[in-house]
Amino acid sequence: MEGNPLPEKVAYLGPQGTFTEMAAKAVFKKEELTPYPTIPNCMEAVNKEEAQYAVVPIENAIEGSVNLTMDYLYHKELLTIVGEVTIPISQHLMVHPNRQDTWKDIDVVYSHPQAIAQSHHFLKENFPKAKISYTNSTAAAAEWIKSHPEENAAAVGNTLAGCKYGLSIVEQDVHDYQNNHTRFVILSQKPTDFQAGPHERYKTTLMITLPSDYPGALHQVLSAFMWRKINMSKIESRPTKTGLGNYFFIIDVDMKMDDVLLPGVKSELEALGCQVNIIGSYPCYVVKDVLKSCGSAV
């Protein structure tokens, strides 16, 4: 007698309460969500078939690309991007309930490096003498505050983390820029027709390594897209880690993989001696409403 199939597993950057969990919950409604401590751990979980998907951050509107994600895709785990989720980022200052009346005198602020950077001006103006202590995620910072009520400290994180760890939010929206969003990618071992409801557009991502650093090489790469009138929404270089001046390029184009244009680009670039990997052609989802209060957390 066959039983009901087990739900698919999704690895995400944990612990519980991260923005990554928020992004995962926006598109995975029935799957089993499992937190992992680092971005590489999430990606390795898919490679080892511990999970069918991984959700990891790839770019923030204020702080730029998450280099660890891009480098790990290139150097370690060449997984496939099957979807993208963009959510608004709101950072709050939160403390243990025991510190609710004395939080203006905190000595230490815990959070992820990007969250600290996103709240730089607020922290500098209000806590110029406070020590900054970095954690693997904003949720890890909230978890630390919960576990150390004796410490005169605060965490910068989101509402979900504050709710899950029973913290008091004493200052809302401490991020310096209001138009703050983060893109997350959904990774899988193989290409799949990932669908999670209505999406805004399709995107295709390529990783391109030039044969050598010679004059006009990048121009030739860009020309392969330009004369075909393919819109590139992003181009970024990262070191190949093989020597100074050696880079690979990540290019996002605003179209779905087709049978003519993008294969033509790939063939043209390979004829120039470039190494070309198409690491995903996928739907892009934009989440406009995220958790606003603890009443929405259950």
Side-chain angles (χ1 to χ4, degrees):
M1 180 177 178
E2 295 184 1
N4 293 327
L6 295 174
E8 290 185 318
K9 294 185 178 180
V10 180
Y12 71 89
L13 178 62
Q16 291 184 335
T18 58
F19 285 107
T20 314
E21 183 185 12
M22 288 175 134
K25 284 185 171 183
V27 292
F28 291 103
K29 306 298 184 182
K30 298 180 181 179
E31 292 78 4
E32 179 183 334
L33 305 183
T34 304
Y36 283 78
T38 68
I39 289 173
N41 288 154
C42 294
M43 298 167 74
E44 289 166 3
V46 175
N47 189 51
K48 295 176 181 177
E49 298 184 349
E50 295 175 7
Q52 283 70 48
Y53 299 101
V55 180
V56 294
I58 196 167
E59 184 181 21
N60 175 261
I62 308 302
E63 291 304 307
S65 296
V66 181
N67 294 330
L68 180 59
T69 298
M70 293 194 299
D71 288 352
Y72 217 76
L73 277 173
Y74 181 83
H75 295 287
K76 297 291 185 180
E77 308 290 349
L78 191 56
L79 301 174
T80 299
I81 302 175
V82 298
E84 175 187 288
V85 188
T86 300
I87 66 170
I89 302 297
S90 296
Q91 305 285 9
H92 312 304
L93 188 74
M94 52 191 73
V95 299
H96 194 280
N98 293 350
R99 298 287 178 181
Q100 193 168 356
D101 296 328
T102 60
W103 63 272
K104 293 186 178 180
D105 298 320
I106 56 176
D107 299 320
V108 187
V109 178
Y110 289 88
S111 198
H112 186 273
Q114 284 210 344
I116 294 294
Q118 291 164 20
S119 310
H120 171 74
H121 294 297
F122 171 84
L123 296 175
K124 183 179 179 181
E125 290 178 5
N126 293 277
F127 307 101
K129 296 182 180 180
K131 176 184 174 182
I132 303 299
S133 186
Y134 296 114
T135 57
N136 285 335
S137 67
T138 53
E143 188 176 34
W144 174 268
I145 296 299
K146 177 188 177 182
S147 303
H148 297 79
E150 76 287 351
E151 190 166 350
N152 189 26
V156 173
N158 62 50
T159 304
L160 181 60
C163 294
K164 284 187 176 292
Y165 299 106
L167 304 185
S168 298
I169 296 177
V170 291
E171 284 286 335
Q172 291 187 332
D173 299 328
V174 300
H175 43 280
D176 299 324
Y177 300 93
Q178 297 307 308
N179 188 23
N180 191 7
H181 293 75
T182 294
R183 292 197 302 125
F184 300 84
V185 287
I186 304 165
L187 302 172
S188 178
Q189 273 199 5
K190 300 177 181 179
T192 181
D193 184 20
F194 183 86
Q195 297 294 329
H199 53 271
E200 287 208 341
R201 57 176 175 156
Y202 260 86
K203 185 187 293 184
T204 300
T205 298
L206 305 90
M207 283 187 174
I208 301 170
T209 306
L210 304 182
S212 60
D213 186 17
Y214 61 90
L218 181 56
H219 174 74
Q220 287 184 301
V221 169
L222 300 181
S223 295
F225 295 92
M226 185 170 56
W227 75 261
R228 291 178 173 87
K229 298 183 179 180
I230 298 175
N231 183 48
M232 292 177 289
S233 57
K234 178 181 178 181
I235 177 170
E236 185 167 353
S237 63
R238 292 292 303 152
T240 61
K241 306 185 189 299
T242 58
L244 287 174
N246 298 331
Y247 299 93
F248 69 93
F249 294 86
I250 303 101
I251 296 179
D252 290 344
V253 298
D254 287 332
M255 65 176 291
K256 189 175 183 178
M257 186 67 187
D258 67 339
D259 296 327
V260 178
L261 293 177
L262 288 178
V265 169
K266 188 173 186 293
S267 296
E268 182 175 336
L269 296 183
E270 289 175 340
L272 294 172
C274 298
Q275 177 184 338
V276 183
N277 289 315
I278 297 175
I279 61 169
S281 187
Y282 47 90
C284 301
Y285 302 92
V286 177
V287 179
K288 297 181 180 179
D289 297 317
V290 292
L291 185 66
K292 298 296 183 181
S293 67
C294 288
S296 307
V298 293

